[in-house]
Amino acid sequence: MSNEQIKNLEEIFEARIARDEKIEPKDWMPEKYRKTHIRQMSQHAHSEIVGMLPEGNWITRAPSLRRKAALLAKVQDEAGHGLYIYSACETLGISRDELYEQLHSGKAKYSSIFNYPTVTWADMGAIGWLVDGAAIINQVPLCNTSFGPYARAMVRVCKEESFHQRQGFEIMLKLCNGTPEQKEMAQDALNRWWWPSLMMLGPTDAESIHTEQSMKWKLKRKSNDELRQQFIDQTVPQADILGLTIPDLDLKFNEKTGSYDFGEIDWDEFWQVVKGHGPSNKKRMKDRVGAWERGAWVRDAAMAYAEKQEDKKELKKVS
Amino acid sequence: MKHTHLYNYILGIADNSLILAQRLGELCGHGPTLETDIAGTNISLDLIGQARNYYQYAAKIKGEGKTEDGIAFLRLERDYKNVLLVEQPNEHFGYVMGRQYLFDVFHLLFMNQLLNSTDETLAAIAKKGIKEVSYHKRFSGDWVKRLGDGTQESNQKMQEAIDELWVYTDELFDQTEADKAMISEGIGIDTSKFKEVYYTEVSALLKEATLEVPERKYFIKGGKKGTHSEHMGYILAEMQYMQRTYPNMEW
């Protein structure tokens, strides 16, 4: 194809997106579009499956049967989200094994929030309330993103995430209405998860390298800083309902803007964790890679068995 | 208490589901594929759901302000009545599927009979759970076949698991005092009636999976009477941690 022809196709492509048409896997797309989507969607899918680990950590210790069942269901939902998004990503011409390989080798990233440890039961509440809350803010706009399979997967993901967020808030509410020890546990969890949750919305706009192109392709509708402000404005009143204090001395409602002003985020910590040196990065990767390696003989067996069954079918046909 | 036998009988059923669910819960996020992770979590979730129904019923019978969580979390090890099979550790995926299958075949036969219990609550719980349990059996049976008739390595591993777990199968049919009392009242299930069916079915699947059926000479039992393996204390330490550390709180 000549450069001119490609340019022509690109123009048609961009015009389709501008008209809010969905791009489907078999449609022509610029290589950069394909790569960007593989990167973002796989990062999202990896976040779902690595995200199973910090919460899975509390399944065996959940304090009641009702909570144990709800937590199991939640972690199962996350596995399901991982599955849809991997499948959607595979339509772009990459296999799940390749995607895993990128995760396991450290080439692909996942949400840094999962590199913090879950040390008390209240962390199950804080993750649902704050982490899923921030995830929803990031993800709702993706229900209208330009790539069809991703947009459709996100509709279902967002519904379930918003259920998780309410469930997390309800765990916190129960703690806050409980004994002083329980309330202290809730406050401690908020103290530890607040800043990492703000970091989840990504680096400040000045430092964000992907924003402009992503906006054009509707992979992003608002900038990181706008999303962060939206999250803060939405969450502070919820903390008030719980009777908990946001661990930010500079947090103050600004009458002029109608939003909350907030303190400086520790970006050094953010980059430290992103680069692999957070409290649980090593453990998360060790668990994922370990599960994959320990499971190799199982996957080989399933493959061998399926082949044998195929052969038997063939033999039957022949005879 | 008037219903001591009924209460103990219910716990005998419920504890199997709870402890097996707990073991499966340990694996969440650590399975060989995403699909098996989802299925394992699903089975755990079904079993917890069933256990809750049983414990809620047991709490009602017991009265004295008992709750499902009080019964599930706050007994001493000697008062748990699950069979030894379900408390065996997740050594590897072959053990997990072997343990599941050996239990599921029994569980489905049991639930099918429990449908006819003269106790309406138990019959209703069985009716609700039977579809779930038949799915569990299909899933675990398929995996025993895949692993048995997969590669040489998987065959060895699956055989090793079956050989080690086999000694716990006889206890599934062991009858406690509560079992006998409930059978005589038409509430409980006479498991001896389907013991042969159980071994015939399991043996057929093992053969299909190109596995050897272990010879049964010696069996180990004790869980149903509260004498557990050394694993049990650790399961409970983890499971009871919150309830023991923060007594009398709501979650």
Side-chain angles (χ1 to χ4, degrees):
Chain A
M1 220 181 289
S2 72
N3 280 347
E4 199 173 329
Q5 278 171 312
I6 291 179
K7 209 173 153 231
N8 225 342
L9 282 170
E10 274 176 6
E11 273 168 20
I12 296 171
F13 178 84
E14 298 294 348
R16 287 186 64 194
I17 292 183
R19 286 197 300 273
D20 259 339
E21 277 178 38
K22 290 279 175 272
I23 305 301
E24 296 301 331
K26 284 184 178 157
D27 296 346
W28 183 88
M29 61 184 78
E31 198 45 33
K32 197 174 169 207
Y33 181 90
R34 183 188 305 276
K35 282 202 174 129
T36 302
H37 277 79
I38 290 177
R39 183 177 55 76
Q40 177 159 338
M41 288 163 73
S42 66
Q43 194 168 315
H44 187 167
H46 297 328
S47 302
E48 297 283 356
I49 61 158
V50 177
M52 293 168 71
L53 298 170
E55 289 179 286
N57 183 37
W58 277 88
I59 288 174
T60 58
R61 290 176 294 169
S64 70
L65 293 179
R66 182 170 80 92
R67 292 295 185 198
K68 196 190 284 286
L71 187 57
L72 274 162
K74 186 184 174 199
V75 180
Q76 193 191 23
D77 282 349
E78 281 155 11
H81 297 171
L83 202 57
Y84 317 139
I85 303 168
Y86 279 130
S87 304
C89 195
E90 281 177 303
T91 66
L92 289 167
I94 188 163
S95 70
R96 209 195 306 172
D97 281 4
E98 285 173 276
L99 294 171
Y100 279 155
E101 169 53 33
Q102 292 177 354
L103 172 67
H104 296 159
S105 69
K107 189 182 162 213
K109 297 264 176 273
Y110 56 90
S111 180
S112 262
I113 193 83
F114 301 120
N115 292 316
Y116 289 86
T118 51
V119 293
T120 72
W121 169 251
D123 291 9
M124 297 304 100
I127 288 183
W129 173 39
L130 301 173
V131 175
D132 293 332
I136 293 168
I137 287 193
N138 257 331
Q139 292 168 8
V140 164
L142 292 173
C143 296
N144 294 313
T145 191
S146 62
F147 186 51
Y150 195 27
R152 290 187 288 273
M154 291 316 293
V155 172
R156 178 155 176 195
V157 169
C158 283
K159 266 188 207 154
E160 290 178 353
E161 290 295 353
S162 103
F163 176 73
H164 296 162
Q165 202 255 349
R166 283 201 300 276
Q167 190 173 282
F169 185 78
E170 201 257 326
I171 291 177
M172 294 302 269
L173 194 61
K174 196 82 181 174
L175 293 173
C176 292
N177 290 334
T179 64
E181 270 169 302
Q182 284 173 301
K183 188 155 185 187
E184 198 183 311
M185 195 191 281
Q187 180 65 56
D188 169 62
L190 172 59
N191 293 349
R192 283 179 290 107
W193 291 94
W194 175 253
W195 292 103
S197 299
L198 296 191
M199 295 176 198
M200 266 182 83
L201 285 316
T204 53
D205 295 347
E207 300 233 7
S208 178
I209 47 173
H210 302 297
T211 296
E212 201 188 331
Q213 181 69 77
S214 296
M215 289 269 193
K216 226 163 93 190
W217 288 338
K218 299 175 182 172
L219 261 174
K220 231 177 187 313
R221 296 258 158 140
K222 289 182 183 170
S223 75
N224 292 349
D225 288 336
E226 285 173 306
L227 292 170
R228 192 165 10 252
Q229 189 66 56
Q230 187 186 336
F231 174 72
I232 293 169
D233 291 345
Q234 167 188 308
T235 310
V236 174
Q238 294 170 353
D240 290 341
I241 294 173
L242 294 171
L244 295 177
T245 309
I246 304 271
D248 178 358
L249 293 173
D250 296 323
L251 188 84
K252 206 176 154 211
F253 189 71
N254 183 327
E255 297 286 348
K256 264 193 219 153
T257 58
S259 280
Y260 286 88
D261 294 337
F262 56 96
E264 187 68 31
I265 292 173
D266 181 355
W267 292 110
D268 289 343
E269 176 183 322
F270 173 77
W271 291 112
Q272 178 181 334
V273 182
V274 168
K275 286 177 181 157
H277 309 290
S280 305
N281 296 60
K282 300 275 184 302
K283 166 112 173 69
R284 298 292 181 245
M285 271 307 98
K286 207 172 162 190
D287 283 350
R288 277 315 317 160
V289 174
W292 186 247
E293 286 174 353
R294 276 193 307 278
W297 69 273
V298 176
R299 296 189 302 276
D300 289 346
M303 198 71 92
Y305 179 80
E307 278 166 16
K308 283 183 198 174
Q309 296 307 106
E310 269 311 302
D311 291 349
K312 275 185 202 164
K313 259 193 225 160
E314 287 297 313
L315 267 179
K316 245 189 190 168
K317 262 191 218 163
V318 173
S319 63
Chain B
M1 191 180 73
K2 192 177 146 214
H3 296 299
T4 303
H5 285 317
L6 177 58
Y7 178 76
N8 285 331
Y9 185 70
I10 297 168
L11 295 193
I13 310 171
D15 289 348
N16 284 341
S17 292
L18 176 66
I19 300 301
L20 187 53
Q22 182 74 6
R23 275 297 192 209
L24 291 169
E26 292 171 13
L27 289 170
C28 191
H30 304 276
T33 68
L34 199 45
E35 287 80 355
T36 53
D37 246 12
I38 292 175
T41 311
N42 203 37
I43 295 173
S44 179
L45 201 51
D46 287 343
L47 292 170
I48 293 275
Q50 291 167 15
R52 289 189 68 191
N53 289 330
Y54 292 123
Y55 290 131
Q56 282 163 11
Y57 183 35
K60 211 167 105 188
I61 291 167
K62 185 96 172 177
E64 306 161 22
K66 281 275 179 211
T67 62
E68 55 167 317
D69 288 328
I71 299 173
F73 290 98
L74 292 172
R75 277 175 290 153
L76 299 174
E77 178 175 331
R78 297 284 273 112
D79 297 326
Y80 282 83
K81 302 175 195 308
N82 56 282
V83 292
L84 296 175
L85 177 67
V86 296
E87 67 196 51
Q88 296 310 305
N90 302 321
E91 298 271 356
H92 59 58
F93 194 69
Y95 275 84
V96 176
M97 287 300 109
R99 180 185 65 204
Q100 192 67 39
Y101 180 67
L102 293 174
F103 180 71
D104 290 342
V105 175
F106 169 82
H107 200 189
L108 187 59
L109 289 165
F110 184 87
M111 295 286 254
N112 268 319
Q113 293 302 313
L114 197 61
L115 281 177
N116 306 320
S117 170
T118 56
D119 184 299
E120 282 174 14
T121 309
L122 289 180
I125 297 174
K127 197 174 173 200
K128 208 166 152 230
I130 219 155
K131 218 170 134 187
E132 295 168 350
V133 177
S134 61
Y135 162 76
H136 303 169
K137 188 179 88 168
R138 202 172 70 210
F139 179 79
S140 60
D142 282 350
W143 271 106
V144 171
K145 281 193 276 181
R146 276 189 204 108
L147 299 178
D149 195 14
T151 62
Q152 201 181 355
E153 183 189 10
S154 72
N155 176 276
Q156 268 171 16
K157 284 197 144 106
M158 195 63 240
Q159 187 70 58
E160 166 203 24
I162 292 292
D163 289 346
E164 281 195 30
L165 294 168
W166 195 257
V167 295
Y168 303 112
T169 53
D170 190 65
E171 191 190 12
L172 292 164
F173 303 93
D174 191 35
Q175 291 185 353
T176 61
E177 211 184 309
D179 291 336
K180 286 174 191 157
M182 286 300 98
I183 293 166
S184 72
E185 285 188 36
I187 293 173
I189 304 311
D190 186 355
T191 52
S192 68
K193 287 193 175 149
F194 55 75
K195 187 171 178 178
E196 281 313 307
V197 178
Y198 172 87
Y199 281 109
T200 308
E201 182 177 342
V202 170
S203 302
L205 185 121
L206 292 182
K207 279 179 198 149
E208 195 189 334
T210 69
L211 294 164
E212 284 182 26
V213 180
E215 283 192 29
R216 41 175 156 146
K217 278 187 194 148
Y218 306 103
F219 291 100
I220 302 171
K221 59 185 178 185
K224 289 190 78 165
K225 295 200 175 79
T227 309
H228 293 277
S229 64
E230 289 178 353
H231 304 299
M232 190 66 177
Y234 294 92
I235 296 176
L236 295 182
E238 213 171 321
M239 191 178 82
Q240 297 183 336
Y241 160 66
M242 289 295 290
Q243 289 274 345
R244 296 269 183 221
T245 312
Y246 304 95
N248 305 316
M249 295 185 201
E250 288 193 22
W251 304 94

